[in-house]
Amino acid sequence: MEHIAELVRARKSVRTYDGTPLRDDDHARLSAYLEHIETPFDIPMEFRLLDAKEHGLSSPVVVGAELYAAGKIKRDPLAEVAFGFAFEKFVLYAMSLGVGTVWIAGTMDRPAFERAMELTGDEFLPAVTPLGYPAKKRSIRDAAMRRAIKADSRAPFESLFFEGDFGTPLTAERAGEYREALELVRLAPSAVNKQPWRIVKQGDAFHFYKKASLPANPKGDVQKLDIGIALAHFMLALEEAGVAGNVTAADPGIAVEKDTEYIVSWTRK
Ligand SMILES: Cc1cc2nc3c(=O)[nH]c(=O)nc-3n(C[C@H](O)[C@H](O)[C@H](O)COP(=O)(O)O)c2cc1C
């Protein structure tokens, strides 16, 4: 893989594909990658590459893709976080091969994907992505969507990250050796580009919170997927810099607003 920072900075959601099938070597690499994706969570999950025609799969926002990757996971309080973490690693890996993706949790023919994944009672399907080569030009709908949700902009660093408690913004300068990892969190994709991640730094511990801005959905909490994605960017950046840490779910008891929920913490080893 290329450097995580380059992949994260170059990634954009691709909803418009050029219609050519995935090359055999790319298909084989992606398929092998999906066999085993490491996460800091011990929750069973499974991914499959699915032929759109064979399984009747579609998304109203996607044009020109013949193949999808989909996943399912056992229900668990941290299921979405674990899935977000794993699937984002896959998305970045696909990007390193020049294969386009877009996280899709909402705009899809969900029953068709759920059938293709053969869900059992205690499993759910958090998200899918088409796989293919980006078209030269975005469809009108794709471009209009990006404008509507301001897909190219992100909130300022110090509105997302804090030091000690939520009353003290963490500036990029003060983040020191963690600055780049946090910057890569800031650049992460999120559902409707809502950027629900909030992080409080306490020394070498980073507490991840979700500031809810989308209605809860019985098919899974998409904003917890966003937290898993953020954690993946954060940890991959630090791992590349040789910094290891442990992930735990142990609420440090920092005062939060009503819409903000503690999710997980990363602590340096
Ligand atoms: C968990 C998650 C779910 C998403 N679901 C959808 C979706 O259902 N349909 C869609 O068109 N885009 C979806 N997106 C893509 C976001 O709209 C996109 O990531 C965001 O606008 C930022 O744009 P970028 O990915 O190009 O940086 C989703 C993204 C995430 C992270």
Side-chain angles (χ1 to χ4, degrees):
M1 259 221 243
E2 288 151 63
H3 293 303
I4 172 77
E6 289 162 28
L7 293 173
V8 167
R9 288 198 166 82
R11 189 211 53 83
K12 295 257 181 246
S13 290
V14 177
R15 299 181 182 81
T16 320
Y17 295 85
D18 71 1
T20 60
L22 213 61
R23 289 203 320 261
D24 287 347
D25 56 340
D26 284 340
H27 192 289
R29 287 193 184 106
L30 291 170
S31 176
Y33 193 88
L34 287 176
E35 285 297 310
H36 182 71
I37 307 181
E38 262 180 47
T39 80
F41 307 93
D42 191 20
I43 306 172
M45 52 183 125
E46 185 195 328
F47 302 96
R48 294 184 190 173
L49 294 183
L50 301 168
D51 184 82
K53 277 205 195 78
E54 185 187 334
H55 296 280
L57 307 174
S58 63
S59 160
V61 296
V62 173
V63 179
E66 299 186 350
L67 189 73
Y68 281 84
K72 59 180 181 176
I73 185 163
K74 211 164 141 17
R75 289 193 187 278
D76 183 284
L78 287 173
E80 287 94 337
V81 184
F83 189 95
F85 190 100
F87 210 50
E88 181 66 0
K89 280 175 78 171
F90 173 71
V91 157
L92 293 171
Y93 179 65
M95 169 94 210
S96 77
L97 302 179
V99 174
T101 58
V102 54
W103 272 88
I104 298 210
T107 54
M108 67 171 114
D109 176 359
R110 193 168 256 287
F113 283 97
E114 290 179 350
R115 270 195 306 276
M117 287 305 292
E118 302 173 286
L119 295 194
T120 62
D122 62 348
E123 293 172 337
F124 70 109
L125 176 148
V128 306
T129 177
L131 295 169
Y133 306 108
K136 289 215 168 61
K137 198 168 178 296
R138 291 192 175 111
S139 73
I140 291 171
R141 182 168 193 172
D142 187 355
M145 242 181 114
R146 294 193 67 84
R147 271 197 305 278
I149 56 184
K150 299 191 172 61
D152 288 311
S153 75
R154 295 292 188 270
F157 194 96
E158 58 280 0
S159 68
L160 302 171
F161 310 130
F162 302 86
E163 196 167 13
D165 58 42
F166 277 97
T168 315
L170 175 66
T171 61
E173 292 70 38
R174 280 198 51 90
E177 62 177 314
Y178 295 106
R179 177 179 181 160
E180 175 73 346
L182 290 170
E183 187 59 26
L184 298 192
V185 168
R186 199 177 78 84
L187 297 175
S190 58
V192 203
N193 199 26
K194 291 286 187 188
Q195 308 161 59
W197 349 273
R198 298 291 180 275
I199 299 179
V200 180
K201 174 182 187 297
Q202 286 189 323
D204 281 327
F206 289 75
H207 308 298
F208 285 65
Y209 293 80
K210 180 195 90 171
K211 187 174 171 64
S213 49
L214 290 173
N217 182 328
K219 290 294 178 187
D221 183 336
V222 289
Q223 296 198 301
K224 282 192 185 163
L225 293 173
D226 295 337
I227 303 301
I229 295 170
L231 184 65
H233 285 201
F234 184 78
M235 287 182 69
L236 288 170
L238 287 171
E239 271 165 28
E240 211 170 78
V243 179
N246 288 317
V247 176
T248 50
D251 190 341
I254 296 166
V256 295
E257 288 187 7
K258 257 214 318 285
D259 60 359
T260 304
E261 181 189 345
Y262 170 75
I263 309 292
V264 285
S265 301
W266 177 94
T267 310
R268 191 170 182 147
K269 268 187 201 158

